[in-house]
Amino acid sequence: MKTAVIHEWLVTYAGSERVVEQILNLYPEADLFSLVEFLPDALKGFIQHKPAKTSFLQHFPFANPRFRQYLPLMPLAIEQFDLSDYDLVISSNHAVAKGVLTRADQLHICYIHTPIRYAWDLQQAYLQGAKLNRGIRGFLTHAVLHYLRLWDLSTANRVDHFIANSHYVARRVWKTYRRSAHVIYPPVDVDRFQPCAQREEFYFVLSRFVPYKRVDLIVSAFNRLGLPLVVIGDGSEGKRVKSMAKSNIQFLGHQPDVVVVDYMQRCKAFVYAAAEDFGITLVEAQAAGAPVIAYGKGGATESVIHEKTGILFPEQTVESLVEAVKLFESGSYCFDPEYLRHNAEKFAPEHFRKKLFQFIEQKWTVFCRGMA
């Protein structure tokens, strides 16, 4: 079967790109499509140095790095891809990839990382964070997102089978599209980390500084606690969050992978306050033997075992996080690095590939029978 793999944009190597990497490992002869591709040569290994077939957005002014500003044109752009030569279409979707046009004699399987966050359940948080919730710009943004929701809802019917990256996302897929989704957890490169038993006296945060990640909540909590906290990451909220912090909090900005691994393997615990779709860093922390202190909603409840690999705090508030850290500090629980590592290994790439291959092959067999 001739296969096409569709991803929204190829500009970095993050969680959704790791899924694309494993899909291409399963189907190395597949052709790759993306709205834009601005990967530096050093990162192209995960797509096997394939030439991605891009859309007209690739050539628009300032598309690199401001391609997101062309969001209103992305539905049109994704529909321009000619997939008529392919038998199997696999889309990796967190925005518009599932909107590609296919025929009845083509099988379209969508691995969905999330329904479009900024158009659906996190619209208000994104608009407030970008200061687009009022005025003429706010009105126009609301109008664009309204159009995007209508288009996004209609494109759910273009997918034959959905695969969600967590049960939390599967529930959101049902809520948004009234479509069922099979759950296959995303691949996590656990072998990057060693489960160190000797932990140092600092807590650790690795995150983008965007509103829904709630790094500000963590900073406020550690301002109260006075405990040492190291923060790696950057983003639009960086300046505001840094201005809040007291001297016990250290910001390192963006760091290379070797530095991230080092801090993850040495920290006393990893702290996370977002309601995440899955949360790859939560699994990475456990792979490094670091207990997790995380908000008990979303993907965290599916990868963190409360009181065994971490502590889940019940409310997304400063008070709730402070109480969780105090409980951790009390020594009431003993977190075994080897047990944390064992839990993390359930999310290793080989498990992802095996489950994804079995799912696709089963659906392909049934599809072919129906076409006979």
Side-chain angles (χ1 to χ4, degrees), residues 315-327:
E315 298 176 356
Q316 201 176 34
T317 63
V318 172
E319 292 75 15
S320 188
L321 174 54
V322 167
E323 289 304 311
V325 176
K326 287 181 177 178
L327 181 61

Side-chain angles (χ1 to χ4, degrees), residues 111-171:
Y111 189 94
I112 185 164
H113 308 277
T114 176
I116 311 176
R117 293 189 190 99
Y118 35 86
W120 293 103
D121 51 329
L122 292 182
Q123 173 183 287
Q124 297 306 321
Y126 272 93
L127 292 179
Q128 290 172 13
K131 298 181 180 179
L132 290 172
N133 54 336
R134 61 184 62 186
I136 186 64
R137 290 180 65 204
F139 174 80
L140 293 174
T141 303
H142 275 91
V144 167
L145 293 179
H146 175 71
Y147 150 73
L148 189 59
R149 278 191 295 274
L150 296 175
W151 179 86
D152 183 52
L153 187 61
S154 72
T155 62
N157 293 320
R158 302 177 188 179
V159 176
D160 294 297
H161 302 284
F162 278 103
I163 303 172
N165 64 354
S166 67
H167 291 282
Y168 176 64
V169 167
R171 290 193 294 272

Side-chain angles (χ1 to χ4, degrees), residues 202 204 230 232 250 252 259-267:
F202 68 90
F204 182 48
V230 175
I232 289 180
Q250 181 183 10
L252 301 183
V259 175
V260 171
V261 170
D262 177 58
Y263 276 93
M264 195 74 90
Q265 292 181 165
R266 292 190 291 117
C267 67

Side-chain angles (χ1 to χ4, degrees), residues 30-279:
D31 290 329
L32 181 61
F33 293 79
S34 179
L35 292 176
V36 296
E37 190 269 288
F38 297 120
L39 288 170
D41 288 340
L43 284 183
K44 290 186 178 181
F46 84 89
I47 61 169
Q48 304 172 9
H49 296 277
K50 285 179 177 289
K53 300 181 181 182
T54 58
S55 73
F56 58 79
L57 298 180
Q58 178 81 16
H59 309 290
F60 271 32
F62 310 109
N64 186 15
R66 299 179 182 176
F67 61 91
R68 289 180 179 85
Q69 295 185 358
Y70 294 114
L71 176 65
L73 296 176
M74 288 182 183
L76 175 63
I78 205 75
E79 291 178 347
Q80 302 310 303
F81 286 138
D82 181 5
L83 304 179
S84 57
D85 290 338
Y86 299 92
D87 306 301
L88 172 65
V89 175
I90 306 172
S91 58
S92 165
N93 182 91
H94 54 75
V96 299
K98 68 176 175 54
V100 292
L101 300 176
T102 56
R103 302 186 310 270
D105 60 345
Q106 295 172 297
L107 179 64
H108 180 184
I109 294 176
C110 173
Y111 189 94
I112 185 164
H113 308 277
T114 176
I116 311 176
R117 293 189 190 99
Y118 35 86
W120 293 103
D121 51 329
L122 292 182
Q123 173 183 287
Q124 297 306 321
Y126 272 93
L127 292 179
Q128 290 172 13
K131 298 181 180 179
L132 290 172
N133 54 336
R134 61 184 62 186
I136 186 64
R137 290 180 65 204
F139 174 80
L140 293 174
T141 303
H142 275 91
V144 167
L145 293 179
H146 175 71
Y147 150 73
L148 189 59
R149 278 191 295 274
L150 296 175
W151 179 86
D152 183 52
L153 187 61
S154 72
T155 62
N157 293 320
R158 302 177 188 179
V159 176
D160 294 297
H161 302 284
F162 278 103
I163 303 172
N165 64 354
S166 67
H167 291 282
Y168 176 64
V169 167
R171 290 193 294 272
R172 290 172 59 208
V173 168
W174 175 256
K175 174 72 174 180
T176 306
Y177 307 130
R178 285 297 188 263
R179 294 287 306 276
S180 297
H182 181 75
V183 175
I184 300 177
Y185 293 121
V188 182
D189 186 7
V190 296
D191 289 339
R192 292 166 56 216
F193 304 91
Q194 296 299 319
C196 300
Q198 295 295 324
R199 317 304 301 187
E200 297 184 18
E201 291 296 319
F202 68 90
Y203 291 83
F204 182 48
V205 173
L206 172 66
S207 177
R208 288 182 291 121
F209 289 11
V210 293
Y212 87 96
K213 294 288 189 180
R214 297 311 311 271
V215 180
D216 59 333
L217 187 153
I218 300 174
V219 168
S220 296
F222 276 81
N223 281 342
R224 290 192 193 180
L225 291 162
L227 296 170
L229 177 71
V230 175
V231 183
I232 289 180
D234 54 21
S236 60
E237 291 268 286
K239 185 176 181 181
R240 182 181 73 86
V241 172
K242 290 175 185 177
S243 68
M244 300 166 49
K246 293 184 178 180
S247 59
N248 58 300
I249 301 174
Q250 181 183 10
F251 292 89
L252 301 183
H254 176 75
Q255 293 292 327
D257 186 67
V258 64
V259 175
V260 171
V261 170
D262 177 58
Y263 276 93
M264 195 74 90
Q265 292 181 165
R266 292 190 291 117
C267 67
K268 190 172 186 177
F270 181 74
V271 187
Y272 206 80
E276 193 60 88
D277 303 321
F278 174 72

Side-chain angles (χ1 to χ4, degrees), residues 272-291:
Y272 206 80
E276 193 60 88
D277 303 321
F278 174 72
I280 285 177
T281 53
L282 302 177
V283 177
E284 291 178 334
Q286 295 173 73

Side-chain angles (χ1 to χ4, degrees), residues 14-42:
S16 61
E17 286 75 27
R18 294 172 194 270
V19 169
V20 171
E21 176 183 33
Q22 298 304 324
I23 294 172
L24 292 176
N25 284 340
L26 281 178
Y27 300 98
E29 300 302 318
D31 290 329
L32 181 61
F33 293 79
S34 179
L35 292 176
V36 296
E37 190 269 288
F38 297 120
L39 288 170
D41 288 340

